[in-house]
Amino acid sequence: MNNTAASPMASATSSGGRSTGKSVSFAAELQSMMYSLGDARRPLHETAVLVEDVVHTQLINLLQQAAEVSQLRGARVITPEDLLFLMRKDKKKLRRLLKYMFIRDYKSKIVKGIDEDDLLEDKLSGSNNANKRQKIAQDFLNSIDQTGELLAMFEDDEIDEVKQERMERAERQTRIMDSAQYAEFCESRQLSFSKKASKFRDWLDCSSMEIKPNVVAMEILAYLAYETVAQLVDLALLVRQDMVTKAGDPFSHAISATFIQYHNSAESTAACGVEAHSNAIQPCHIREAIRRYSHKIGPLSPFTNAYRRNGMAFLAC
Amino acid sequence: MASAPRPERAPRLLAPCLTRYPPPPSPTTVGFLSMEEEETYLELYLNQCAAQDGLAPPRSPLFSPVVPYDMYMLNASNPETAFNLNPEVKETSGGFSPVDLSFLPDELTQEDKDQPVIGSKHETKENSESQSQQSRLPSSSEQDIGLGLNSPSLSNPHSQRHPSDTDLVQASPEKPDSNSLPLASITPMSPVTSVSECCGIVPQLQNIVSTVNLACKLDLKKIALHAKNAEYNPKVRFLISLLLTKLECNGAISQSRLAARKYARVVQKLGFPARFLDFKIQNMVGSCDVKFPIRLEGLVLTHQQFSSYEPELFPGLIYRMVKPRIVLLIFVSGKVVLTGAKERSEICEAFENIYPILKSFKKA
């Protein structure tokens, strides 16, 4: 791995007094994740700790709300339906989640086809395991859909701009790497919260909860955690690029962010030399990103987004 | 979708063209030659052409379909006069009317390939397949010659006779990835070696899943007790005993069938009136290694509609090829797994299709 510091106990450094004595820390993994999402080669430890804190807070809140929802319907476990219910307001993010679930189904179908041992058995037992997540999602959205717009998402083939931008950024990043760096980058990309399921559960302190999430719900939570980190990095990169004042360029505010980012990265690789700290995302970028994201402009802004319990808007939903 | 008879699809290359117009000896065997016969014809013909330099052997048969070998030689050496020769060819070949399109294979549907390849009017499926099978080796030179020939052919009244030629020739410019291949000379190819000519790599079959209907009631417990390599899982209604072997290229399908027969015999020996019906291959899995690292981020961006790459979910890129309908798992290391095939040829074809794409995303 690439990180320098980050022992599991080093969690209590920054971010104003939350999380005292948290024994489980994802700071090291987060540093790798941020690198794979577009941060510098060695992201700052402070930034990783702050991101961990933000993600942790948001997930705990999400879990609490999901627990309330499932309590309302008298269930004993938190199911993926509860999480889908919480996300129903934001179409784009919901669509991304659905796509993720379908891809997960598809991948297990293919891998099962290659791994012969289960194949026949599955075929003969009526293949009721295939497309499990897709069925869950479809059935649930069917049941809560009043206007038909949720179900329309299944046929929707629009390009997801955020994902597109991430893909382009990754492509740009990898184009200039040599094969050793690229191998490392790929390893970083493969990191996810679902790979470390038990650590993730401990991190969220699931055992002390009354109503616990089931397996598929945990998958979705891991995905939402990753999405949150990705959103934070996206926004922080935008903020950082905004902070760079280009003297003498009167239209710098009008040029699209990706364009500027592209040219910045091209220049910085040419200049090379000092890389890590000058390019890494700073905690101030993250804070500013969150502030901007939470700030909703408009007459009804105090009344929208029902999930802003402790003043921080959910990034993943 | 067009329905090609199965045996014909197996040897892909020039064979489809040649089967339609073999040299005079056996015109009646059009279309259903066995593998061996087609190979012989091809070998003969290609050896002839290899003696000439210049033109693409695959192209000439399309200019003058039913022609004895000596006429081919003339065509090969002199592209400009190819069309001039055709009137003579018409006479010599006998029953070949000017606008006789019967030489075109049955399926005239033209299917979109996942690459910006052949988009010409009545390009036949087989022609497009044969082109792809040659993995665009001749096409790079075809392009030079073909474009030059386009003008004369269009103005020539005889051009009607070979609509597929002009189409084929026009198709060449539309294959951008062919230009990336450095080959300029044409090497003669036979069906068996064609796959290895382009990149020296042949996908190895890892697994074949097939089913057969024994058409009789079985007492599972009895079989499980008496037969070797059998397990009896009460949860599943049928006996699960798959014979898994690492199979080599050509023998794969027959070995699978053999294995199934063996099991039927075992069941028979135990006293059940087992038959051997409906042997069907459900799935074939192949794998190979292109031996260079691949930049998957680039691939997923340019082939978005076919690929999905979620490294946090699965380390490989899942590429859904439309034609043939195969799913490829492409890994950064260069390993490629192909699955979902019903025939060996589909695996080879899919790999042929993907190889130039992978090369363009090679991580230096």
Side-chain angles (χ1 to χ4, degrees):
Chain A
M1 284 278 212
N2 57 351
N3 56 4
T4 47
S7 67
M9 297 305 174
S11 57
T13 43
S14 78
S15 66
R18 272 203 96 262
S19 65
T20 50
K22 201 166 42 170
S23 55
V24 182
S25 169
F26 273 104
E29 288 87 345
L30 277 175
Q31 276 179 304
S32 288
M33 268 189 233
M34 284 162 59
Y35 166 53
S36 73
L37 287 166
D39 198 355
R41 181 67 187 76
R42 294 187 196 287
L44 298 178
H45 180 65
E46 301 88 61
T47 319
V49 171
L50 175 60
V51 168
E52 178 185 11
D53 196 47
V54 169
V55 173
H56 189 255
T57 315
Q58 298 217 331
L59 277 183
I60 296 282
N61 287 332
L62 190 62
L63 263 180
Q64 274 173 1
Q65 298 211 356
E68 281 172 25
V69 170
S70 74
Q71 232 169 13
L72 272 177
R73 58 187 186 95
R76 287 185 300 133
V77 289
I78 297 179
T79 59
E81 281 88 344
D82 301 320
L83 294 168
L84 285 172
F85 179 74
L86 287 176
M87 290 191 65
R88 70 194 185 286
K89 294 277 173 69
D90 193 330
K91 296 280 160 37
K92 292 197 183 147
K93 298 199 177 118
L94 183 56
R95 223 177 113 243
R96 215 173 296 148
L97 172 62
L98 289 173
K99 272 227 169 91
Y100 174 77
M101 288 166 80
F102 300 162
I103 292 182
R104 229 190 143 117
D105 277 336
Y106 187 63
K107 167 231 153 195
S108 30
K109 190 161 67 164
I110 295 181
V111 171
K112 194 179 287 207
I114 298 181
D115 179 19
E116 330 67 32
D117 298 326
D118 307 321
L119 182 63
L120 241 195
E121 183 172 337
D122 197 56
K123 239 176 147 54
L124 300 166
S125 64
S127 68
N128 47 15
N129 271 342
N131 294 342
K132 160 176 79 164
R133 298 170 189 89
Q134 191 173 354
K135 284 207 190 79
I136 294 177
Q138 258 175 338
D139 293 338
F140 178 67
L141 289 182
N142 214 340
S143 66
I144 66 169
D145 194 7
Q146 303 289 339
T147 56
E149 45 185 8
L150 290 176
L151 285 178
M153 265 194 298
F154 285 95
E155 285 90 42
D156 193 2
D157 255 343
E158 272 177 19
I159 297 185
D160 187 349
E161 287 147 2
V162 173
K163 217 161 168 73
Q164 181 77 13
E165 203 185 302
R166 285 185 204 158
M167 280 203 288
E168 286 172 10
R169 193 185 311 137
E171 199 269 329
R172 253 182 277 126
Q173 233 180 327
T174 53
R175 210 187 295 162
I176 52 180
M177 292 183 185
D178 64 27
S179 61
Q181 287 177 330
Y182 183 61
E184 226 181 312
F185 180 79
C186 279
E187 266 197 50
S188 302
R189 274 204 79 172
Q190 288 169 25
L191 266 181
S192 80
F193 289 100
S194 49
K195 294 257 169 70
K196 315 230 170 181
S198 54
K199 187 174 174 186
F200 186 60
R201 278 192 99 101
D202 293 336
W203 189 55
L204 290 177
D205 207 12
C206 286
S207 43
S208 66
M209 289 175 59
E210 273 181 28
I211 304 185
K212 300 190 191 5
N214 69 4
V215 174
V216 184
M218 279 308 284
E219 283 177 7
I220 298 183
L221 281 172
Y223 166 75
L224 287 178
Y226 188 81
E227 261 300 295
T228 311
V229 178
Q231 292 264 21
L232 276 176
V233 173
D234 285 348
L235 296 171
L237 287 173
L238 271 177
V239 165
R240 183 180 73 182
Q241 171 257 308
D242 268 353
M243 286 180 174
V244 171
T245 49
K246 279 187 161 303
D249 190 353
F251 294 113
S252 61
H253 64 278
I255 305 177
S256 82
T258 22
F259 178 79
I260 295 184
Q261 238 171 39
Y262 172 55
H263 281 272
N264 267 350
S265 65
E267 284 168 21
S268 64
T269 51
C272 209
V274 183
E275 27 137 310
H277 286 269
S278 58
N279 278 349
I281 297 177
Q282 315 276 338
C284 55
H285 298 142
I286 305 267
R287 291 200 190 93
E288 171 68 11
I290 299 177
R291 186 198 69 81
R292 284 196 207 177
Y293 187 80
S294 310
H295 175 63
K296 295 223 175 194
I297 311 166
L300 288 178
S301 58
F303 309 110
T304 51
N305 202 346
Y307 311 122
R308 290 153 126 269
R309 282 283 182 81
N310 59 342
M312 187 161 46
F314 278 115
L315 283 147
C317 60
Chain B
M1 286 274 283
S3 49
R6 292 245 153 181
E8 198 175 41
R9 276 162 48 142
R12 270 326 171 123
L13 265 213
L14 308 169
C17 308
L18 261 187
T19 54
R20 292 297 168 179
Y21 9 102
S26 49
T28 52
T29 59
V30 159
F32 289 93
L33 293 177
S34 66
M35 262 276 237
E36 295 78 16
E37 288 175 323
E38 280 168 325
E39 271 179 37
T40 335
Y41 280 144
L42 264 181
E43 300 279 2
L44 276 176
Y45 161 58
L46 287 168
N47 286 339
Q48 291 266 334
C49 291
Q52 316 305 316
D53 42 359
L55 258 206
R59 234 183 76 259
S60 6
L62 299 163
F63 273 108
S64 38
V66 185
V67 172
Y69 290 136
D70 46 358
M71 292 304 274
Y72 274 128
M73 282 162 57
L74 283 171
N75 277 341
S77 54
N78 210 341
E80 258 51 57
T81 62
F83 271 102
N84 298 336
L85 281 174
N86 283 341
E88 288 129 276
V89 169
K90 218 172 26 173
E91 269 101 66
T92 52
S93 57
F96 211 91
S97 61
V99 205
D100 187 351
L101 296 180
S102 60
F103 63 89
L104 289 175
D106 293 335
E107 60 275 6
L108 286 183
T109 56
Q110 161 218 327
E111 315 190 44
D112 278 341
K113 300 201 90 177
D114 48 341
Q115 301 145 27
V117 177
I118 298 162
S120 46
K121 315 149 219 161
H122 32 269
E123 185 70 2
T124 64
K125 178 171 159 195
E126 300 222 2
N127 278 343
S128 58
E129 282 172 346
S130 62
Q131 277 282 38
S132 71
Q133 278 304 306
Q134 297 149 25
S135 58
R136 301 157 201 93
L137 274 179
S139 63
S140 41
S141 62
E142 261 187 42
Q143 207 165 347
D144 308 327
I145 305 167
L147 287 173
L149 272 176
N150 248 337
S151 16
S153 67
L154 285 175
S155 54
N156 193 311
H158 293 289
S159 68
Q160 271 184 36
R161 221 175 67 134
H162 306 283
S164 60
D165 311 330
T166 55
D167 290 345
L168 202 57
V169 159
Q170 279 167 16
S172 332
E174 294 169 52
K175 283 187 267 188
D177 37 356
S178 66
N179 291 330
S180 62
L181 291 173
L183 296 159
S185 63
I186 318 306
T187 49
M189 294 187 282
S190 61
V192 176
T193 59
S194 66
V195 176
S196 41
E197 280 290 353
C198 82
C199 50
I201 306 170
V202 179
Q204 299 296 319
L205 283 182
Q206 297 295 332
N207 183 33
I208 298 182
V209 176
S210 44
T211 56
V212 67
N213 182 6
L214 294 178
C216 72
K217 280 204 181 345
L218 304 173
D219 181 358
L220 297 181
K221 274 211 202 124
K222 184 174 175 198
I223 298 179
L225 289 171
H226 293 277
K228 294 190 256 180
N229 301 331
E231 356 171 311
Y232 176 51
N233 184 347
K235 288 196 216 129
V236 183
R237 283 164 44 231
F238 287 86
L239 198 59
I240 305 173
S241 44
L242 268 178
L243 183 65
L244 304 172
T245 55
K246 293 279 182 193
L247 300 166
E248 293 304 319
C249 298
N250 294 322
I253 296 170
S254 51
Q255 282 198 24
S256 175
R257 202 187 173 91
L258 207 63
R261 274 199 193 280
K262 264 199 226 167
Y263 279 95
R265 213 155 293 140
V266 166
V267 170
Q268 263 181 352
K269 287 217 181 107
L270 288 177
F272 299 100
R275 291 157 70 195
F276 195 77
L277 304 173
D278 308 325
F279 174 76
K280 181 166 181 266
I281 294 188
Q282 302 290 344
N283 184 26
M284 291 170 70
V285 178
S287 70
C288 54
D289 188 0
V290 302
K291 307 271 197 320
F292 52 77
I294 305 168
R295 199 166 65 93
L296 297 177
E297 279 80 7
L299 181 56
V300 73
L301 198 59
T302 45
H303 289 77
Q304 272 181 58
Q305 61 269 47
F306 307 108
S307 27
S308 50
Y309 177 45
E310 303 281 336
E312 62 264 16
L313 189 55
F314 185 64
L317 185 149
I318 303 179
Y319 192 101
R320 268 182 279 199
M321 194 174 282
V322 173
K323 186 175 120 49
R325 213 168 66 81
I326 303 267
V327 174
L328 298 94
L329 303 177
I330 305 168
F331 296 88
V332 181
S333 56
K335 302 247 182 340
V336 180
V337 174
L338 307 99
T339 178
K342 291 279 196 294
E343 295 175 352
R344 176 98 178 75
S345 56
E346 288 181 4
I347 295 214
C348 289
E349 192 187 339
F351 184 68
E352 296 280 300
N353 291 347
I354 202 77
Y355 188 74
I357 300 176
L358 296 182
K359 266 188 87 160
S360 66
F361 288 104
K362 176 173 174 173
K363 191 73 193 142

